[in-house]
Amino acid sequence: MRPKVIHPVKVILHRRKTTQTDPEFGVSGKIEWFDPIELSGQVKYEKFERLMPVSDGNDPLNDGHVVFYADEWQKAGGTVSDELELEDSSRLIVIEARPAAHYRRKYHHVHVYFSRKRTR
């Protein structure tokens, strides 16, 4: 038995190759990417375009997670700081990946937590 991903959508994984760092200022510069990989996953938003009052003002980031099959995520080689692109052209930054859907001493899903990438 394998737990299923419900309502999968197309998700494009953009894996980081290298990031050049400025030696004087220590900030990242040009980012190189591997070829994009197409996966299917179930997207769940924890916060979606709602007012989230915090002490220093509104937090407009949309956070959530995508559920992938564990074997597909491992084969794709996704890691933290990679980017995901959804069908609506949303860009998401991978924050963390956690195993999920444990059954018979094995996990079958990976929950990939993301933060929405700002375009400005």
Side-chain angles (χ1 to χ4, degrees):
M1 182 182 133
R2 179 180 179 184
K4 296 189 183 239
V5 172
I6 303 169
H7 306 296
V9 296
K10 183 172 83 170
V11 180
I12 306 295
L13 171 64
H14 298 275
R15 291 180 43 223
R16 249 178 227 260
K17 204 181 258 186
T18 57
T19 304
Q20 296 176 356
T21 305
D22 185 296
E24 185 175 349
F25 299 104
V27 295
S28 59
K30 183 179 177 187
I31 299 171
E32 295 181 18
W33 302 92
F34 287 106
D35 292 333
I37 300 170
E38 185 176 320
L39 301 169
S40 63
Q42 175 184 335
V43 181
K44 175 157 183 356
Y45 290 98
E46 305 298 332
K47 297 187 289 184
F48 185 75
E49 294 180 359
R50 32 177 200 162
L51 182 66
M52 298 297 295
V54 292
S55 61
D56 58 347
N58 183 31
D59 179 12
L61 295 177
N62 297 322
D63 299 329
H65 68 273
V66 182
V67 179
F68 292 109
Y69 286 116
D71 53 351
E72 290 179 11
W73 178 253
Q74 290 170 350
K75 183 179 176 185
T79 59
V80 173
S81 297
D82 288 344
E83 294 185 8
L84 304 173
E85 182 179 355
L86 301 179
E87 292 176 329
D88 65 354
S89 299
S90 298
R91 291 293 283 228
L92 312 169
I93 300 172
V94 176
I95 298 171
E96 182 181 0
R98 294 183 190 170
H102 294 80
Y103 182 71
R104 293 193 178 198
R105 299 181 189 171
K106 182 180 177 189
Y107 64 94
H108 296 273
H109 292 169
V110 173
H111 287 192
V112 176
Y113 292 86
F114 63 79
S115 177
R116 194 147 187 150
K117 183 176 181 179
R118 293 179 186 253
T119 56
R120 295 181 237 171

